[in-house]
Amino acid sequence: MAIVNPLPSATDGHRRLRLDSPVDQQCVGELDISSKDDVDQAISRARAAQTAWAARPVKERAAIVRSAVDELVARRDEIIATLQAETGKPRAEALAIEIVPACDFLNHWSSRAHRDLRDERRKVHGYIRPLKKLRIHYQPLGVVGVITPWNAPFVLSLNPVVQALLAGNGVVLKPSEMTPRSAEWAVRILHAAGVPEDLVQVVHGDGETGAALVDGEVDKISFTGSVPTGRTIAARSAQRLIPCTLELGGKDAMIVCADADLERAANGAVYLSMFNTGQVCLSVERIYVADEVADEFVRLVREKAAAISYGAGDKDMGPLFSDKQLDVVTRHVRDAGEKGATIAVGGERGSAEGLYFQPTVVVGAAHDMDIMREETFGPVAAIMRVRDDEEAVRRANDSAYGLGGSVFTKSTRRAREIAARLTTGSVVHNDAAVIYGVAEAPFGGRKDSGLGQVNGTDALRGFTHPQPLLLSRWPLKKENIWYPYTPSVVRNLDSLVRYGFGNRIVRRFLS
Ligand code: NAD
């Protein structure tokens, strides 16, 4: 339902939207927008339900959440049908990008949660150790607002919602107004599994509804979306002094070294630039290929891109999901052509009625072109030749974004050396994008690509406050340094400094 048009407001005053399919631009649904009041009420209901949920042991919460896997498996065809109606993505992509990772996240987080969230004993150091014991309690935050985009609307909603719930929170989800029904499924399967209705709810709408959620009485915002919206949310969260995680856009570079397996690199370049019609935050958006293998690499990429089928039905590639996206991709390709690049394959809109864009290969791309600087989010492999690894790293880092990156080389050592110099949140060897599906990896962006992690133990714990509890070892009537400040208090403290920290050998035992 990617093309969004306003409708006259409903009689009760709610704003309404009409949603048209990107496949044929026919109306596929209408959406009532939640008002600020609706949002506030949803937050209050979630808060009321959260207390009882947080009181349940993590294992119990996890058992309920885990049974949503059964719902997901049983209802996958309905979910895929909704995804296809809203986005036109091929069934293979609905499965690979949405359903499989969603099953995996549900299964993984619900199996791990009790280990990652149980109270933890931590050793304290030095002179404190004989006196105190430290425990960490992962305390739920309360109610989390989750705001999500349209490019992978089911899994990008489900993943943060599941983590927040397992951590003991209530959740209010505000999905993209362009793909509301796909995101609703994330909450529907959780309700069907036994998660209380009030504990996790969906509110619908555009930026205005999102802003109402951020300004409401939520205790954290988990946001996935564009850089400008991310900045707005960071500023509003700062005003309210609540934490936020921001998973934002990317302009990921793929580096093809001179020793790369060119067949794999070319297959990867085409697939990783174009799957989900290029609308993936971790898509390959720029390709830097070593001069000495560039001719052969370009030949292979052209050949493989030209073989991609696209259009309605289950072809290799579906449409762009929104009319705005079609404008951006068209503008970037045109700008590249005008500034001297060769449009070696495609480069045009692919159909009059749907939002299709031809699989496109741009050769001779350069850094003064939009296609190498702004997020394109379309089915374009943009290729630039570089002298060596040194130039590839310099070019890759020459970006406002820092989400992911990839290195194609037969040498793991070379991949590690290059990765260590890339200023990106993650790097993948001989592949790309797949890092999001590896739940253990602390995935998150650098520079304009975001703040905080959405996967890994820190992400799950990020939905809690790690509360340190310091326990006294001895039932003393008072500590040594409490009043009164006798001469012996001063002497003891001074001795600690002088003979403890002042002595290099003793100092080691105090660390
Ligand atoms: P967007 O920023 O336009 O919208 C994202 C969500 O924010 C939507 O639900 C939208 O309604 C809401 N929103 C808009 N204005 C708001 C405001 N002022 N306050 C609160 N909420 C508001 O982004 P999009 O176009 O839906 O998504 C595409 C972008 O998302 C791309 O840049 C893409 O790279 C990025 N993305 C990032 C990741 C990641 O993990 N890093 C994953 C997927 C998509």
Side-chain angles (χ1 to χ4, degrees):
M1 301 189 189
I3 308 166
V4 177
N5 289 297
L7 288 171
S9 293
T11 45
D12 62 1
H14 280 89
R15 285 196 296 127
R16 309 195 78 224
L17 300 174
R18 194 190 74 221
L19 305 154
D20 297 342
S21 159
V23 172
D24 55 13
Q25 303 193 58
Q26 297 300 305
C27 176
V28 284
E30 294 180 357
L31 185 70
D32 279 5
I33 299 224
S34 311
S35 64
K36 173 148 178 45
D37 249 18
D38 298 333
V39 173
D40 288 341
Q41 282 173 29
I43 297 169
S44 300
R45 284 194 300 272
R47 192 171 298 288
Q50 187 262 341
T51 315
W53 179 252
R56 295 165 98 151
V58 180
K59 270 195 173 168
E60 212 175 290
R61 292 180 219 146
I64 297 171
V65 169
R66 188 172 319 124
S67 61
V69 180
D70 295 327
E71 295 295 327
L72 174 43
V73 172
R75 305 196 69 176
R76 67 188 183 285
D77 283 339
E78 292 169 80
I79 301 171
I80 291 170
T82 310
L83 282 161
Q84 291 194 297
E86 292 195 330
T87 67
K89 64 174 79 180
R91 186 176 171 84
E93 285 181 352
L95 280 163
I97 298 169
E98 308 261 14
I99 304 294
V100 173
C103 289
D104 194 42
F105 282 134
L106 268 171
N107 198 34
H108 174 83
W109 295 124
S110 56
S111 308
R112 283 215 53 112
H114 73 281
R115 265 176 289 161
D116 289 344
L117 297 173
R118 73 179 157 212
D119 282 9
E120 195 184 302
R121 214 177 286 167
R122 253 188 230 174
K123 253 190 176 171
V124 288
H125 72 281
Y127 71 95
I128 304 167
R129 197 179 308 146
L131 306 171
K132 306 285 184 192
K133 290 186 285 189
L134 178 64
R135 292 185 77 91
I136 311 291
H137 171 59
Y138 293 98
Q139 192 175 56
L141 294 173
V143 178
V144 177
V146 175
I147 302 177
T148 54
W150 45 263
N151 58 329
F154 177 63
V155 71
L156 292 180
S157 298
L158 186 83
N159 189 23
V161 166
V162 163
Q163 291 182 44
L165 287 173
L166 287 168
N169 301 287
V171 178
V172 178
L173 167 68
K174 207 299 285 170
S176 171
E177 63 277 26
M178 285 163 44
T179 47
R181 307 299 175 214
S182 300
E184 271 173 9
W185 274 109
V187 169
R188 191 171 299 136
I189 60 166
L190 289 162
H191 285 160
V195 175
E197 298 253 330
D198 281 355
L199 187 71
V200 52
Q201 297 164 68
V202 186
V203 292
H204 281 302
D206 45 25
E208 212 175 293
T209 319
L213 184 57
V214 181
D215 291 342
E217 291 295 311
V218 289
D219 302 289
K220 172 172 176 158
I221 289 289
S222 161
F223 173 75
T224 310
S226 66
V227 176
T229 311
R231 282 191 207 284
T232 307
I233 287 178
R236 284 175 184 258
S237 301
Q239 280 299 320
R240 295 206 45 238
L241 289 178
I242 57 167
C244 63
T245 52
L246 306 173
E247 282 306 309
L248 309 179
K251 190 73 194 165
D252 288 7
M254 167 179 177
I255 294 176
V256 183
C257 299
D259 71 341
D261 174 339
L262 289 189
E263 184 67 25
R264 181 174 175 90
N267 279 324
V270 172
Y271 177 77
L272 298 163
S273 304
M274 301 188 191
F275 76 115
N276 215 36
T277 325
Q279 301 161 121
V280 178
C281 56
L282 285 157
S283 289
V284 167
E285 291 248 337
R286 301 175 282 154
I287 301 170
Y288 300 102
V289 58
D291 223 355
E292 57 190 284
V293 294
D295 289 342
E296 177 61 3
F297 174 74
V298 168
R299 187 187 70 73
L300 289 168
V301 170
R302 288 175 69 153
E303 188 183 292
K304 291 168 195 300
I308 296 175
S309 64
Y310 65 93
D314 270 331
K315 301 276 186 0
D316 291 338
M317 204 171 82
L320 290 160
F321 301 171
S322 92
D323 44 354
K324 292 192 190 110
Q325 211 43 55
L326 185 63
D327 292 344
V328 173
V329 178
T330 307
R331 176 167 63 76
H332 284 193
V333 172
R334 191 169 299 151
D335 173 75
E338 284 168 7
K339 288 180 178 155
T342 305
I343 314 304
V345 179
E348 301 288 336
R349 186 171 179 165
S351 109
E353 66 276 11
L355 304 182
Y356 294 93
F357 197 86
Q358 296 172 332
T360 296
V361 178
V362 174
V363 180
H367 272 222
D368 62 339
M369 300 172 187
D370 293 344
I371 209 142
M372 297 301 266
R373 305 208 75 84
E374 294 176 21
E375 192 179 41
T376 305
F377 232 50
V380 184
I383 306 175
M384 179 175 179
R385 303 166 81 109
V386 289
R387 263 189 318 279
D388 49 21
D389 293 357
E390 193 62 33
E391 188 187 354
V393 169
R394 186 166 52 78
R395 296 281 186 192
N397 284 338
D398 177 21
S399 173
Y401 293 99
L403 192 58
S406 55
V407 185
F408 281 68
T409 164
K410 288 191 186 128
S411 156
T412 313
R413 186 176 166 178
R414 193 171 186 172
R416 288 174 56 184
E417 281 170 5
I418 292 175
R421 298 172 62 201
L422 293 177
T423 49
T424 55
S426 60
V427 183
V428 180
H429 176 216
N430 288 342
D431 200 344
V434 65
I435 195 84
Y436 183 81
V438 181
E440 298 85 346
F443 169 63
R446 295 184 65 181
K447 300 194 270 186
D448 282 1
S449 291
L451 212 57
Q453 270 79 38
V454 294
N455 281 332
T457 308
D458 285 349
L460 184 62
R461 289 181 177 165
F463 287 102
T464 67
H465 172 73
Q467 182 191 53
L469 170 63
L470 204 56
L471 296 162
S472 296
R473 282 188 189 275
W474 314 109
L476 303 174
K477 296 292 177 208
K478 76 179 204 58
E479 297 290 329
N480 286 341
I481 59 159
W482 291 2
Y483 296 137
Y485 291 150
T486 59
S488 81
V489 169
V490 175
R491 226 178 10 256
N492 288 342
L493 286 169
D494 194 57
S495 297
L496 174 63
V497 175
R498 196 164 157 199
Y499 303 113
F501 294 106
N503 180 307
R504 286 184 183 194
I505 295 167
V506 180
R507 195 186 299 166
R508 283 174 50 196
F509 294 100
L510 292 176
S511 62

